[in-house]
Amino acid sequence: MRARTWLTGAALGAALLTGGTATIAQAAPAPSDTGVAAVAEYWKKMKMDSQRQCEDMRDSYAGSAFCSQEGSTWYLWILVP
């Protein structure tokens, strides 16, 4: 009796291992876009008259900003949410 119970348990265990992995893989839910929020941030480039004006504008901006120079022209880059 004990041997039959052990063999039945072993057979069930083998069935679960071979068929159970496929069942688990099939039962996994598909990814959903309902809980994902898209973030559409971008950098905006604005031409400034001077380095001082660029730095003043950068310092007064509440978000992320930096100044860059291209030739003799200064640009303020701001991160727009």
Side-chain angles (χ1 to χ4, degrees), residues 4-21:
R4 188 179 344 171
T5 306
W6 185 87
L7 287 174
T8 304
L12 285 174
L16 284 175
L17 286 176
T18 57
T21 55

Side-chain angles (χ1 to χ4, degrees), residues 8-9 13 17 21 28-30 33-34 40-41 44 47 56 62 65 69 77:
T8 304
L17 286 176
T21 55
D33 291 335
T34 57
E41 293 183 335
K44 183 175 182 179
K47 186 176 179 180
D56 288 344
Q69 184 179 15
W77 294 83

Side-chain angles (χ1 to χ4, degrees), residues 11-70:
L12 285 174
L16 284 175
L17 286 176
T18 57
T21 55
T23 304
I24 291 171
Q26 292 171 358
S32 174
D33 291 335
T34 57
V36 177
V39 178
E41 293 183 335
Y42 63 95
W43 286 97
K44 183 175 182 179
K45 179 180 176 181
M46 296 183 293
K47 186 176 179 180
M48 296 286 127
D49 294 328
S50 67
Q51 179 181 1
R52 179 162 178 101
Q53 180 192 22
C54 185
E55 290 171 350
D56 288 344
M57 294 292 288
R58 177 198 65 201
D59 294 341
S60 66
Y61 186 66
S64 297
F66 68 93
C67 293
S68 68
Q69 184 179 15
E70 294 176 19

